[in-house]
Amino acid sequence: IAFIAICTTMVSCTDSFFDVKRTDQLTDDTYYKTEEHIQYALIASYRGWESTSGLWMDMAAGNGYSQFAWDGYQAFGNGSLNASSDFADFWTYTQITKYNKVLSKIDDVPMDNTKRELYKAELRFLRAYNYYRRVYLYGDCALVTTPFNASDEANLPRDPAAKVKEFIFNELKAIIEANVLPEENDIEAGGHVNLGAAYALQARMHLFEGNYAEAMASAKKVIDMPCFELFDNYLGIFQEANESINKETILAVQYEPVNYRQNIWLHTMPDAQGGWSSINVSKNLVDAYEMDNGLPITDPTSGYDEENPYENRDPRLEMTVLYPGQYFYGRYFDPMGDGKDNWSKSNNPRTGYGMKKYIIDGIASSNLSRSGVNVPIFRLAEMYLTYAEAAEKVGTAAEKAIALGYINDIRTRAGHVTAPALTEDLVRRERRVELCFEGLWWHDVRRWNLGPVELGQPLYGAGYGTVNTTTGEVTWDKDAGGNVIYKKLEDRIFYPERNYLLMVPQYEIDANPNINENNPGY
């Protein structure tokens, strides 16, 4: 009876009784009121700004093979993607919405103005980076810089790619000229955007666009910052234990094994260590590593021996690739035998080549999904190679000499020999092996138009043969002509009409009446 009486009283109240704001949930009316609110919103904006997608992109461009079709990158690599494929959605505007929301609120919040301008620069960089990634994957895309007030406002047409690129360049220029981002490395900046990152993205895009003089200038800005230096161990760059002393990283996605962990180890480790081997290295990449005398294996004077293909090679090969006969986790890796490493098992490398970059020996299988390894998005070595490539195209003799010095600094850091001259082939090989599985090779293939070679030819793995599990010696199977027989993973089709662009997801086209066609070739 009492309950009924209370309900009757509530119903008889005026409408204002129900006209209240929720206090148990965050809304635009209850949030964005203090400096602390903005600080938390900025931190939240970093979540999801980038991921480990760089590892996977290399498998779409010839450096590797994605053995599980459901990951999507197998179809991306072999050319069978279509508009309805289940593939990573880089088109979504979730991140852009976050950045635009905070930027629209920050000027109305009472707070220290120095912090306000710093936070705005960080947010504008994150937004520019998102558009950088979007425009090079999809081409034309809607350029959105303010929050939507209603859902139908989101049904925007695609803006020309040139307009989006111009916006990114203008944003980066404005961010740099505001002079509020700190000149710090990733350690000092604590994972926040720094001045080096702004110049690094600027340099990368100028290189992609063929603006070589501008690419050199932006890269040199980063190179000359005293806060950055090459780390003394190539493999150590990608290990969690060195993150507090590695001054080479300009900006990285920050992970830690408890609250914001990632599963890079799970995707790279073979079955015997509890992993899935989702990411496989291809023979294409293995063949790109020079001999230890600096000559490519295709040079008849290089000393390359098909019977011993991994001997006397660029040291980065052993640091990056798990190959047959290599000592790993207390035994010799044997993908061709009948044991635990056999490549026919679903969680072992189907190519016979695993990836060692980002991992360390001795990781417990129970910790494979608890990696705290930070994934570098920009590092100093990339700036060295950006400067070198641009200098090879348009540099003076003095600038080319500086560029060759940068390349040799990278090579000798890894224990490799110096190169005698700056050439296009040298730059391309260095970019491929130094930066593999860091998300850049697909873009390199695109801008150098290597699609017919890297995307339109069969993909191969290691040769067939047997591994002596006591010594690691490999005996290769050969055809009638005495040639090693290599495992063929798949045929790949390159569609030049696609212009290296992804398809716009079909559900986006269906939901937006202002997008009436997909990219060519889909």
Side-chain angles (χ1 to χ4, degrees):
I1 294 173
F3 176 76
I4 294 173
I6 292 172
C7 290
T8 302
T9 302
M10 289 176 63
V11 171
S12 63
C13 290
T14 63
D15 290 343
S16 63
F17 180 87
F18 298 99
D19 187 20
V20 296
K21 294 182 174 65
R22 293 292 298 269
T23 59
D24 61 338
Q25 295 180 2
L26 295 177
T27 68
D28 286 355
D29 290 328
T30 59
Y31 205 66
Y32 301 110
K33 299 296 185 183
T34 68
E35 181 177 309
E36 186 178 44
H37 288 169
I38 294 296
Q39 182 181 10
Y40 287 149
L42 173 67
I43 294 170
S45 295
Y46 274 91
R47 188 178 184 92
W49 77 274
E50 185 51 290
S51 64
T52 59
S53 60
L55 283 76
W56 301 88
M57 288 295 291
D58 268 33
M59 293 188 292
N63 275 354
Y65 174 70
S66 175
Q67 68 161 310
F68 300 122
W70 52 82
D71 289 330
Y73 286 85
Q74 186 181 114
F76 188 9
N78 62 33
S80 62
L81 273 183
N82 59 61
S84 299
S85 296
D86 185 13
F87 183 65
D89 185 2
F90 298 110
W91 181 271
T92 177
Y93 278 74
T94 302
Q95 293 296 124
I96 295 291
T97 300
K98 287 197 291 187
Y99 309 144
N100 287 342
K101 173 64 73 175
V102 185
L103 283 168
S104 73
K105 298 291 184 179
I106 192 169
D107 284 335
D108 297 327
V109 175
M111 61 182 295
D112 177 79
N113 194 59
T114 300
K115 287 185 180 179
R116 187 200 317 276
E117 294 306 312
L118 172 61
Y119 294 172
K120 286 167 66 175
E122 291 184 52
L123 289 161
R124 291 174 71 181
F125 173 89
L126 294 174
R127 183 174 62 182
Y129 181 88
N130 190 282
Y131 277 117
Y132 142 78
R133 186 175 67 174
R134 184 185 309 273
V135 76
Y136 285 109
L137 289 176
Y138 297 103
D140 298 349
C141 56
L143 181 58
V144 183
T145 58
T146 57
F148 298 121
N149 294 314
S151 59
D152 59 348
E153 293 181 8
N155 292 331
L156 295 174
R158 298 167 72 181
D159 288 300
K163 178 181 178 181
V164 178
K165 292 175 183 178
E166 181 182 21
F167 168 79
I168 300 169
F169 277 126
N170 288 340
E171 282 289 275
L172 292 173
K173 183 175 183 291
I175 291 167
I176 290 168
E177 290 180 349
N179 197 30
V180 295
L181 289 175
E183 189 174 307
E184 297 175 339
N185 57 45
D186 195 52
I187 304 169
E188 297 162 336
H192 283 259
V193 174
N194 52 51
L195 184 61
Y199 276 117
L201 180 55
Q202 191 180 64
R204 184 185 289 180
M205 283 191 60
H206 277 310
L207 188 67
F208 286 5
E209 294 301 301
N211 305 328
Y212 296 119
E214 293 85 350
M216 286 176 63
S218 297
K220 197 70 165 64
K221 288 286 188 180
V222 182
I223 293 169
D224 289 345
M225 291 182 184
C227 56
F228 300 113
E229 59 186 51
L230 288 183
F231 193 63
D232 60 5
N233 179 284
Y234 177 73
L235 185 58
I237 299 169
F238 312 99
Q239 294 180 350
E240 187 178 358
N242 298 321
E243 289 170 357
S244 63
I245 57 174
N246 173 17
K247 296 180 181 180
E248 180 169 341
T249 301
I250 301 168
L251 182 64
V253 180
Q254 303 286 311
Y255 293 98
E256 56 90 17
V258 178
N259 298 308
Y260 194 44
R261 57 183 181 262
Q262 44 111 324
N263 55 10
I264 191 172
W265 294 335
L266 194 63
H267 285 291
T268 52
M269 287 289 204
D271 182 65
Q273 279 66 56
W276 297 341
S277 295
S278 307
I279 298 172
N280 294 204
V281 176
S282 70
K283 179 178 182 293
N284 305 47
L285 175 59
V286 171
D287 288 351
Y289 288 86
E290 297 173 347
M291 297 297 291
D292 61 4
N293 57 17
L295 296 175
I297 68 171
T298 52
D299 188 318
T301 67
S302 68
Y304 175 70
D305 180 8
E306 197 175 33
E307 295 278 358
N308 301 287
Y310 316 120
E311 290 185 4
N312 305 318
R313 300 290 293 275
D314 178 340
R316 286 172 292 188
L317 173 61
E318 184 176 1
M319 298 178 193
T320 306
V321 182
L322 176 61
Y323 50 73
Q326 185 179 147
Y327 198 72
F328 182 71
Y329 268 72
R331 68 180 193 286
Y332 293 101
F333 182 61
D334 180 16
M336 295 92 75
D338 296 328
K340 58 182 70 176
D341 298 327
N342 184 269
W343 54 14
S344 65
K345 293 183 179 180
S346 62
N347 286 343
N348 280 326
R350 293 293 177 88
T351 63
Y353 294 125
M355 194 184 75
K356 290 176 65 179
K357 201 170 186 176
Y358 302 102
I359 70 173
I360 56 175
D361 204 331
I363 304 169
S365 59
S366 59
N367 289 330
L368 293 190
S369 62
R370 300 175 180 274
S371 172
V373 175
N374 294 342
V375 178
I377 305 304
F378 302 103
R379 60 185 178 93
L380 187 59
E382 182 196 343
M383 296 298 100
Y384 280 6
L385 291 169
T386 295
Y387 184 95
E389 181 177 346
E392 194 276 329
K393 295 296 183 184
V394 302
T396 64
E399 289 168 337
K400 289 181 179 180
I402 292 171
L404 181 60
Y406 288 153
I407 285 181
N408 284 330
D409 285 344
I410 294 172
R411 291 162 68 93
T412 56
R413 178 263 298 277
H416 196 28
V417 297
T418 58
L422 180 68
T423 65
E424 181 181 77
D425 286 344
L426 172 66
V427 170
R428 291 186 177 188
R429 284 199 305 274
E430 278 300 313
R431 284 188 66 89
R432 185 167 198 173
V433 303
E434 173 72 21
L435 304 174
C436 68
F437 295 100
E438 295 181 47
L440 292 171
W441 181 240
W442 185 86
H443 293 287
D444 290 344
V445 167
R446 172 188 54 78
R447 63 195 180 86
W448 295 332
N449 195 25
L450 298 180
V453 176
E454 296 298 337
L455 308 180
Q457 302 293 328
L459 191 74
Y460 288 92
Y464 290 95
T466 57
V467 175
N468 184 318
T469 56
T470 301
T471 65
E473 182 180 0
V474 183
T475 303
W476 303 102
D477 296 344
K478 298 179 181 178
D479 61 19
N483 301 305
V484 174
I485 304 172
Y486 295 98
K487 183 177 183 179
K488 180 179 176 180
L489 276 301
E490 62 180 3
D491 288 310
R492 293 190 161 192
I493 302 174
F494 172 62
Y495 296 96
E497 66 272 20
R498 292 181 177 178
N499 198 28
Y500 300 95
L501 296 177
L502 281 173
M503 73 292 176
V504 178
Q506 187 62 46
Y507 53 80
E508 296 285 357
I509 297 175
D510 295 341
N512 186 347
N514 290 313
I515 302 179
N516 51 28
E517 62 181 5
N518 215 314
N519 282 328
Y522 292 104

